[in-house]
Amino acid sequence: MNLKCTRTNARTTLLALSLSGAAALALLGGASPTSRSLSTPPANQKRLAIYDRFSVHEWEGLVCQINNVSASVNYSASSWGAPGARVNRNLTISGMLADFTGKRIFRLKGTPRLLELTDLNGRDMTSRAKVHINPQMRSMTAFTAPTGSSINQNFSVSLASFTLGANGIGRIAMEVDVEMAADIERHDFPPKVTPAMEEFAPNFVAGISRYAVSSDGALYLTLDYRIPKNDGPAPVFHTLEIIDTNGDVITATTDRKEIVTRDSTMGLVFIKGVNIGSREVASVRVTVLTDLISHTFTLEERDMPLLSE
């Protein structure tokens, strides 16, 4: 059995990418209720319009842009205090990070930052609203896997119950941090428990602590790895694949459990009862991102009235 360790440099395969045209902007708006509507307001009054404008930002083949802004105003008979209609205004700004070639491994690096959001009169729309930004650090998007023709990750800013009767958006400004793999290293372990953990990539030590196949062809496997904290590189586990004797992937996973200690990051990757049938396993392949490059996109859009039919 010929097991090998291979190394590729993603910098040499980065392709320039441009996106023609701009995405559509869908805005849901509603006029203020009249004195008549205060007594019997509609449950949900909405209007729809399309506003074709969004700037496209490109870096090393990745595309980032705001691609949708939706606003709504709903009226409800439920009220408090003096008689009248309850007005609930909401706004959602959505964006995407994408590689339309499907060749790159990347992710959103942390929570996007909302720098400014004002209406057409320059008033801060966030000052009296519940603001929520996704993804949060605790659920930071994992790295993509280059297995499709179009791969993207999404982010959003939501304002709930903001009090301004906004006439439109004067300025949106956001910063979006991204991270992309520049170097990748793959290593094939034999399909068995390894006698000791080995460092097959700089600062990445790993080994198979459990390998068993049941009588009905169910595979159970545990990969242990350790990433020491020192002045060296900080690699990232990406994928564990089970490869058969024809070179095909039986199963793959990017899920792992990590514990960060004072001097290292300890990780575990599990295969729990995957049915391999009569196929013979040739190797357990581990992919590690050994070099990452980072970039911050600055997104800005101006002068967007809330349009309605």
Side-chain angles (χ1 to χ4, degrees), residues 95-141:
M96 71 169 184
L97 173 68
D99 165 31
F100 293 102
T101 70
K103 295 180 181 297
R104 297 163 181 84
I105 296 175
F106 64 91
R107 71 175 175 184
L108 293 165
K109 186 183 177 183
T111 302
R113 295 177 295 279
L114 180 63
L115 305 179
E116 184 179 335
L117 179 58
T118 59
D119 69 5
L120 291 175
N121 294 325
R123 298 179 298 181
D124 182 10
M125 298 175 69
T126 67
S127 60
R128 300 181 67 180
K130 299 175 183 178
V131 181
H132 189 75
I133 304 178
N134 278 315
Q136 296 292 308
M137 283 298 294
R138 63 179 177 270
S139 59
M140 189 170 66
T141 307

Side-chain angles (χ1 to χ4, degrees), residues 23-27 54 65-71 92-95 172:
L25 167 61
L27 287 170
F54 281 118
Q65 71 170 149
I66 293 171
N67 61 1
N68 185 273
V69 177
S70 60
T92 300
I93 302 165
S94 301
I172 301 172

Side-chain angles (χ1 to χ4, degrees), residues 18-37:
S18 62
L19 183 66
S20 61
L25 167 61
L27 287 170
L28 295 174
S32 299
T34 63
S35 57
R36 180 179 180 180
S37 67

Side-chain angles (χ1 to χ4, degrees), residues 82-95:
R86 178 174 179 175
V87 181
N88 186 33
R89 298 181 177 89
N90 300 283
L91 179 71
T92 300
I93 302 165
S94 301

Side-chain angles (χ1 to χ4, degrees), residues 145-147 186 188 219 239-254 271 274-276 279-287:
T147 55
R186 295 182 176 91
D188 287 285
L219 173 64
T239 313
L240 183 148
E241 298 170 292
I242 306 300
I243 310 297
D244 69 11
T245 51
N246 293 322
D248 298 325
V249 177
I250 298 175
T251 188
T253 182
T254 59
I271 298 290
V274 170
N275 182 24
I276 63 174
R279 300 168 74 178
E280 183 181 353
V281 177
S283 67
V284 177
R285 182 170 298 163
V286 180
T287 300

Side-chain angles (χ1 to χ4, degrees), residues 171-285:
R171 181 174 184 254
I172 301 172
M174 295 182 66
E175 287 183 341
V176 181
D177 296 329
V178 303
E179 202 168 36
M180 183 169 62
D183 283 290
I184 304 168
E185 191 148 337
R186 295 182 176 91
H187 181 71
D188 287 285
F189 286 100
K192 62 181 181 180
V193 173
T194 54
M197 297 176 71
E198 58 182 282
E199 184 176 3
F200 66 84
N203 257 9
F204 191 91
V205 183
I208 299 174
S209 60
R210 183 190 185 195
Y211 187 94
V213 179
S214 67
S215 58
D216 57 354
L219 173 64
Y220 297 85
L221 182 148
T222 302
L223 177 81
D224 298 66
Y225 65 85
R226 179 174 178 268
I227 305 171
K229 290 183 180 178
N230 51 38
D231 295 333
V236 176
F237 167 82
H238 184 251
T239 313
L240 183 148
E241 298 170 292
I242 306 300
I243 310 297
D244 69 11
T245 51
N246 293 322
D248 298 325
V249 177
I250 298 175
T251 188
T253 182
T254 59
D255 294 335
R256 80 275 193 192
K257 296 183 181 296
E258 288 188 343
I259 299 175
V260 179
T261 66
R262 184 174 300 177
D263 61 351
S264 65
T265 297
M266 309 293 293
L268 292 171
V269 186
F270 300 102
I271 298 290
K272 298 180 178 180
V274 170
N275 182 24
I276 63 174
S278 60
R279 300 168 74 178
E280 183 181 353
V281 177
S283 67
V284 177
R285 182 170 298 163

